[in-house]
């Protein structure tokens, strides 16, 4: 039609570290703000030498939640809880990838991934942007990674004091 409709919404003050109240969800299962965890075209192809934040990642199955998540969406035994912090292993050689992919993968090594949603297996979300080359660049690079290339670095951590 010609108008938007919504039946719920979530507001995040991105100038703070405040999270949703305990037990609350948002547009992702973990109750986290989505925007700060997206891979953005401008940061991958922009002039800054490094991406300075963790990325959100979806997993096929999850089990409860840990801080910073405020909500869980699964109860599969042995699966990671929402809020789990993963990292691309330092031993993973990324030197053969194109520079823009190296920038993304280096951020995965430095800042990691936060389990934020259920969906695709190890699916990292980026902004909608026509300039991404999914077919020739992103998909082959991301498909070359395996879950064994990652390690769990934290199963939740405490709120900043």
């Amino acid at each position: 039609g010609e108008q938007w409709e919504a039946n719920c919404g979530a507001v995040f003050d991105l100038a703070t570290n405040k999270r949703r109240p305990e037990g609350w969800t948002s547009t992702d299962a973990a109750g986290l703000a989505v925007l700060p965890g997206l891979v953005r075209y401008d940061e991958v192809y922009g002039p800054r030498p490094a991406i300075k934040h963790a990325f959100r990642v979806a997993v096929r199955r999850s089990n409860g939640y840990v801080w910073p998540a405020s909500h869980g969406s699964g109860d599969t035994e042995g699966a990671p809880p929402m809020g789990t912090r993963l990292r691309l292993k330092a031993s993973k050689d990324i030197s053969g990838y194109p520079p823009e992919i190296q920038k993304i993968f280096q951020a995965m090594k430095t800042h990691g991934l936060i389990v934020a949603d259920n969906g695709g297996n190890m699916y990292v979300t980026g902004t909608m942007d026509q300039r991404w080359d999914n077919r020739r660049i992103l998909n082959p690079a991301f498909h070359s990674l395996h879950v064994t290339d990652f390690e769990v670095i934290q199963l939740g951590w405490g709120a900043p004091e």
Side-chain angles (χ1 to χ4, degrees):
E2 295 183 17
Q3 66 185 28
W4 286 86
E5 288 186 33
N7 66 1
C8 63
V11 176
F12 292 89
D13 181 351
L14 298 181
T16 73
N17 286 325
K18 291 181 183 172
R19 71 198 245 298
R20 304 279 287 166
E22 204 67 34
W24 286 26
T25 188
S26 68
T27 197
D28 74 10
L32 302 172
V34 172
L35 181 63
L38 297 177
V39 182
R40 297 190 331 263
Y41 186 91
D42 63 297
E43 65 189 356
V44 172
Y45 289 92
R48 290 190 176 168
I51 298 169
K52 299 187 177 220
H53 65 87
F55 301 134
R56 66 186 307 276
V57 65
V59 294
R60 188 166 291 149
R61 291 177 183 78
S62 61
N63 187 16
Y65 69 98
V66 292
W67 201 97
S70 62
H71 183 268
S73 178
D75 59 1
T76 301
E77 189 174 329
M82 294 291 159
T84 298
R85 190 77 169 245
L86 306 172
R87 173 175 54 201
L88 185 60
K89 291 178 181 174
S91 60
K92 175 66 177 173
D93 182 11
I94 61 173
S95 64
Y97 291 96
E100 61 274 10
I101 297 299
Q102 288 183 37
K103 204 173 189 183
I104 294 169
F105 288 176
Q106 185 58 53
M108 290 181 180
K109 287 183 173 195
T110 305
H111 303 287
L113 306 165
I114 299 175
V115 176
D117 218 340
N118 291 320
N121 204 18
M122 296 295 291
Y123 185 83
V124 176
T125 313
T127 55
M128 294 293 294
D129 194 306
Q130 296 176 1
R131 297 172 293 179
W132 288 120
D133 187 342
N134 290 318
R135 186 179 58 77
R136 290 183 310 119
I137 297 176
L138 291 177
N139 289 344
F142 278 86
H143 286 218
S144 73
L145 296 178
H146 305 282
V147 73
T148 55
D149 292 325
F150 293 87
E151 58 193 345
V152 174
I153 56 171
Q154 283 183 312
L155 279 177
W157 57 96
E161 305 213 6

